Amino acid sequence: MNSDAAKEILSAYRSEDRDGADPIFREAFTQLENDAELKKWFEEQIDLDRSVQQKLAGIEPPADLQAKILARIRGEKVRRSVFALPPAWLAVAACLVLGGLALLYSTHRGGPDRFQEFKTDALAMVLLRRVDPSSIWKRRT
Amino acid sequence: MRADLDLETIVSELYSPLYRFAFALTRNETQAGDLTQETFLILTRQQAQVRDVTKIKSWLFTTLRREFLRGLRSQSSHPEVELKPEHQDLLVSDSAVSQTIDAGTVLEVLAKIEESYRMVLELFYLADLSYKEIAVTLDIPIGTVMSRLSRGKEQLRTLLAKTEPPNKNLPRPR
């Protein structure tokens, strides 16, 4: 591995605790021990990284951002849980509704036909007004 | 088998770096906050699709970047609301500027770096992603990530040296 290749690899190095176990850096670190210029370059690189990261860490999120995110996540979970009923429950609910409607319809049909009664009564009233009452009397007798 | 996601823990651990990344992209406090919230909301909706919990971090940064680009495309299709870079700078609130005056300088310098390098640097410094995670996030080979990090850092070092007063302890370009 030449110096430029080692620089390219070491540019991706963050810190011992995060990247120390990654074998890709081992060979580059070996190169460091034998190359004083590369070692100096790497130290400066680490200084640059530390300095830039410290400055960028100054970007603070708004104080209420975490609470806002958590509130929206909880809201979304509730909304989803309402619409995410298991299919078995939906099937049972649908059966109950359809069964109830069928029962209601059959009961209604089996009972007195109120509309038919109403129609008969209404027709009778109209006919009574148009027909001479004496003729009705005669018809009945 | 995928373990259930502990969304609240994920939020508390990652909302700050995500916000910083969003702020670097938008340069606007409100938009960065909205983008961060939207990203976590998408995770909530699509958590069943996240197969590998260890890749949540990359997934979140990828999603945030995708949402940012979607927003840009939407703005460019509505030119009347298009935000030009100089206008975006004006939208940064006073509180954000005062809190991030040093960070602002670094972000300004980052903005001058070629985009392919800048993206990799932002993920490295703001998101603290490893080179492997950056490769996944940007969908580019690991070798490309390393090469862009190396060249990007060189550009950053040169530009910072021109910006920073000489008494600052940044290493000088070689």
Side-chain angles (χ1 to χ4, degrees), chain A residues 43-89:
Chain A
E43 284 166 2
E44 288 177 355
Q45 180 85 17
I46 293 294
D47 283 348
L48 172 76
D49 290 347
R50 195 177 299 127
S51 174
V52 169
Q53 274 167 336
Q54 275 173 2
K55 288 184 178 182
L56 291 176
I59 302 172
E60 287 291 336
D64 59 348
L65 182 61
Q66 187 178 7
K68 277 183 182 174
I69 294 168
L70 290 175
R72 286 190 72 183
I73 283 177
R74 285 171 193 143
E76 180 69 17
K77 275 182 175 174
V78 169
R79 199 177 70 83
R80 282 173 64 80
S81 65
V82 167
F83 292 103
L85 286 171
W89 280 104

Side-chain angles (χ1 to χ4, degrees), chain A:
Chain A
M1 182 185 290
N2 63 28
S3 176
D4 286 341
K7 279 182 182 176
E8 217 167 83
I9 291 170
L10 291 170
S11 292
Y13 182 79
R14 293 173 298 170
S15 64
E16 175 63 29
D17 59 324
R18 285 169 296 175
D19 294 327
D22 191 333
I24 200 165
F25 296 111
R26 280 187 203 142
E27 196 183 345
F29 278 123
T30 312
Q31 182 98 357
L32 276 185
E33 302 307 316
N34 308 318
D35 188 336
E37 196 189 340
L38 183 63
K39 192 172 183 179
K40 189 169 183 294
W41 172 89
F42 182 63
E43 284 166 2
E44 288 177 355
Q45 180 85 17
I46 293 294
D47 283 348
L48 172 76
D49 290 347
R50 195 177 299 127
S51 174
V52 169
Q53 274 167 336
Q54 275 173 2
K55 288 184 178 182
L56 291 176
I59 302 172
E60 287 291 336
D64 59 348
L65 182 61
Q66 187 178 7
K68 277 183 182 174
I69 294 168
L70 290 175
R72 286 190 72 183
I73 283 177
R74 285 171 193 143
E76 180 69 17
K77 275 182 175 174
V78 169
R79 199 177 70 83
R80 282 173 64 80
S81 65
V82 167
F83 292 103
L85 286 171
W89 280 104
L90 280 176
V92 170
C95 286
L96 284 174
V97 169
L98 289 174
L101 284 173
L103 188 67
L104 194 68
Y105 180 71
S106 64
T107 309
H108 186 71
R109 280 193 71 188
D113 193 338
R114 292 187 198 284
F115 180 69
Q116 192 58 41
E117 282 178 6
F118 169 76
K119 204 165 80 175
T120 309
D121 289 348
L123 276 171
M125 279 178 67
V126 171
L127 288 171
L128 276 172
R129 282 187 186 172
R130 286 189 184 170
V131 178
D132 179 14
S134 59
S135 67
I136 294 172
W137 173 253
K138 284 174 189 169
R139 236 179 359 202
R140 289 190 175 177
T141 55

Side-chain angles (χ1 to χ4, degrees), chain A residues 8 11 14 18 22 24 41 44-45 49 51 55-62 66 72-74 76, chain B residues 8 12 16 19-20 37 41 44-45 99-100 103 125 128-131 150 153 157 164 170-171 174:
Chain A
E8 217 167 83
S11 292
R14 293 173 298 170
R18 285 169 296 175
D22 191 333
I24 200 165
W41 172 89
E44 288 177 355
Q45 180 85 17
D49 290 347
S51 174
K55 288 184 178 182
L56 291 176
I59 302 172
E60 287 291 336
Q66 187 178 7
R72 286 190 72 183
I73 283 177
R74 285 171 193 143
E76 180 69 17
Chain B
E8 300 204 1
S12 68
S16 289
Y19 173 82
R20 287 188 191 108
Q37 287 187 51
L41 215 56
T44 311
R45 290 184 197 130
Q99 281 174 15
T100 63
Y125 286 126
D128 195 31
L129 294 187
S130 70
Y131 67 93
S150 176
K153 282 184 181 182
R157 193 198 299 254
E164 294 280 321
L170 275 173
R174 303 189 66 199

